[in-house]
Amino acid sequence: MGRAKKVVLAYSGGVDTSVCIPYLKKEWGVEEVITLAADLGQGEELKPIQEKALKSGALESLVIDGKEAFVKNYAFPAIQANALYENRYPLLTALARPLIAKMLVEAAEKYGADAVAHGCTGKGNDQVRFDVGILALNPHLKVLAPAREWGMSREETIAYGEKFGIPSPVKKSSPYSIDRNLLGRSIEAGPLEDPMIEPDEEVFVMTRAIADTPDEPEYLEIGFEKGIPVSLNGNGLDPVTLITQLNEIVGKHGVGRIDMIENRVVGIKSREIYESPALLVLIDAHRDLESLTLTGDLTQYKRGIEETYSHLIYKGLWYSPLKEALDAFIKTTQEQVTGVVRIKLFKGSAKIVGRRSENSIYAPDLATYGADDKFDHKAAEGFIYIWGLPTKVWSLKHKGL
Ligand code: ARG
């Protein structure tokens, strides 16, 4: 009796997920393996990957285009939530996992599989996101994670694969572990494991080095509707095109790099390099538009929600009831977040230099220091008397005044 009869395996085309195919069949007695490669804009040819899966012993090899769903249903809600894990990481990898989990579960249901599988090891965050995402969507499915259990080194994995006709990587494999999709790139390991070592310029592909950026600033207007980015410089764009174009424009000016030590779900710290040009600028612009259109108490309260929301995304709880409840809150807050944010890109910086909205609650006649000031200065006196009263009473009592 094997661990499962029919398995849908999340497939990237790399050595690890390829080795999973014979491993599941030979070591764990799985009868049929169906692979699923999700196209989330990693800019890779998926046709060869599809064929590689079949050559490695998959019964069927699925390729699913998830780009639009990824941006609309995962990235956009995160932008509305201004989601930055530990105030910095825009969650580009974390956001892809619940979508892949959903694809795996749907394929398992369609093909009558009793399990799904992935190639994550036991040390990362992604295993948590896959496992919890899958069990949330279909608690009856088994989740198999061969690489979490097989205990093979890199060399042993390659050797195992060769026995089953899986070619070892042609080019000398890079020392880095890289995850990439439409929203950006996550780079770790190799020399980056020393937190003091500056990342080599070669790790970046979406963002230019400052030395290579244009010598003239570029202005950019991003339009939002109910908290969702819909246009660049007045041109309405579909979600995937908008992100693609924005990555290009922003990356050209060297904006979007992050270098941080982050706290993983499994308790270890890791050094991570990210480049995520579009997403970072969108979150910044979106937050700015909120400051023009929402009341102070609402934005301040929302900050706390955003923090929780970011943790839920990072920690694999995308399909949890708390996340769903927070979605309802965030949706309500976005009703008026429509307008345009103007950004100046120059030499590695993206500065917000203007914003406008038909829903703006910035009141010039109250804010002005000019002659047409409508603010009632006299009213401030009474307000301050009452506002400061408890503090005054305290001081009288305890400071011997
Ligand atoms: N630390 C990030 C996260 O947990 C990125 C992990 C990406 N994986 C990789 N192989 N580089 O979301």
Side-chain angles (χ1 to χ4, degrees):
M1 252 295 277
R3 292 217 198 175
K5 264 176 85 75
K6 192 186 236 184
V7 172
V8 179
L9 166 71
Y11 188 67
S12 71
V15 174
D16 287 305
T17 55
S18 295
V19 166
C20 281
I21 302 171
Y23 194 91
L24 282 168
K25 299 203 312 194
K26 303 287 178 240
E27 317 296 329
W28 287 5
V30 172
E31 287 165 29
E32 295 173 353
V33 177
I34 297 171
T35 59
L36 188 157
D39 181 3
L40 301 185
Q42 52 273 57
E44 228 175 336
E45 270 259 48
L46 289 175
K47 194 82 196 139
I49 289 180
Q50 189 167 29
E51 280 158 19
K52 188 170 179 191
L54 295 173
K55 273 199 214 121
S56 308
L59 176 74
E60 200 145 353
S61 174
L62 313 171
V63 170
I64 301 177
D65 180 356
K67 293 194 289 290
E68 190 183 333
F70 184 40
V71 178
K72 268 171 81 168
N73 306 334
Y74 297 83
F76 284 177
I79 291 167
Q80 292 182 309
N82 302 317
L84 294 172
Y85 180 65
E86 298 185 329
N87 280 317
R88 292 206 277 173
Y89 165 43
L91 296 157
L92 58 109
T93 291
L95 285 164
R97 302 304 177 242
L99 172 55
I100 298 170
K102 183 162 175 279
M103 290 174 166
L104 290 170
V105 169
E106 283 169 0
E109 288 166 354
K110 182 170 165 196
Y111 289 88
D114 53 336
V116 296
H118 59 72
C120 300
T121 64
K123 236 173 133 173
N125 295 317
D126 287 332
Q127 52 164 349
V128 181
R129 298 168 184 149
F130 279 131
D131 288 25
V132 178
I134 290 157
L135 68 84
L137 294 169
N138 186 340
H140 299 296
L141 282 170
K142 278 180 245 168
V143 185
L144 306 181
R148 196 157 55 196
E149 295 182 38
W150 67 33
M152 291 190 281
S153 69
R154 178 92 192 146
E155 293 68 34
E156 288 164 346
T157 309
I158 291 170
Y160 186 95
E162 276 171 344
K163 283 200 294 184
F164 297 95
I166 295 163
S168 56
V170 262
K171 42 180 198 272
K172 188 176 161 358
S173 59
S174 120
Y176 305 106
S177 160
I178 298 170
D179 179 57
R180 150 149 221 191
N181 61 47
L182 204 52
L183 301 179
R185 295 171 71 249
S186 303
I187 308 131
E188 58 188 304
L192 300 171
E193 282 175 6
D194 179 345
M196 192 59 186
I197 295 286
E198 182 178 357
D200 200 281
E201 199 50 47
E202 70 171 22
V203 309
F204 301 104
V205 310
M206 300 174 81
T207 54
R208 286 196 202 172
I210 303 297
D212 302 327
T213 59
D215 290 322
E216 294 298 322
E218 178 172 353
Y219 287 89
L220 172 71
E221 292 195 350
I222 304 177
F224 288 87
E225 235 162 70
K226 293 187 197 274
I228 288 169
V230 292
S231 68
L232 295 182
N233 293 325
N235 302 316
L237 298 172
D238 68 84
V240 174
T241 310
L242 187 140
I243 297 286
T244 309
Q245 286 191 8
L246 192 57
N247 273 331
E248 193 64 37
I249 299 169
V250 172
K252 188 174 73 195
H253 290 276
V255 172
R257 297 182 179 184
I258 299 160
D259 178 340
M260 67 188 281
I261 306 293
E262 86 190 21
N263 293 291
R264 284 196 192 165
V265 188
V266 293
I268 55 182
K269 287 188 187 292
S270 64
R271 202 283 183 86
E272 308 277 341
I273 306 295
Y274 300 106
E275 49 179 356
S276 188
L279 191 53
L280 280 170
V281 166
L282 285 169
I283 291 171
D284 204 29
H286 173 265
R287 203 200 284 113
D288 188 84
L289 191 59
E290 286 188 331
S291 71
L292 187 69
T293 53
L294 303 182
T295 59
D297 59 349
L298 177 50
T299 43
Q300 284 147 24
Y301 188 85
K302 187 168 176 281
R303 293 294 168 261
I305 300 290
E306 291 168 356
E307 166 101 11
T308 306
Y309 198 90
S310 308
H311 277 260
L312 292 175
I313 297 174
Y314 190 85
K315 296 174 181 171
L317 295 170
W318 183 269
Y319 299 113
S320 68
L322 176 54
K323 154 77 170 42
E324 202 175 307
L326 297 186
D327 274 329
F329 171 83
I330 292 167
K331 185 165 190 285
T332 308
T333 65
Q334 298 303 292
E335 234 10 74
Q336 311 300 336
V337 187
T338 296
V340 171
V341 179
R342 186 168 162 79
I343 289 159
K344 182 181 184 174
L345 297 158
F346 189 53
K347 295 286 173 204
S349 86
K351 288 218 167 71
I352 295 169
V353 292
R355 69 289 281 159
R356 66 168 185 271
S357 168
E358 64 209 35
N359 302 329
S360 168
I361 48 171
Y362 171 84
D365 54 352
L366 291 176
T368 183
Y369 288 97
D372 38 5
D373 182 6
K374 296 279 187 318
F375 185 79
D376 181 355
H377 289 242
K378 207 61 195 131
E381 246 179 67
F383 163 73
I384 294 163
Y385 172 78
I386 292 170
W387 178 246
L389 196 52
T391 304
K392 181 177 170 185
V393 171
W394 174 274
S395 290
L396 285 168
K397 179 81 184 170
H398 298 298
K399 297 197 174 161
L401 299 168

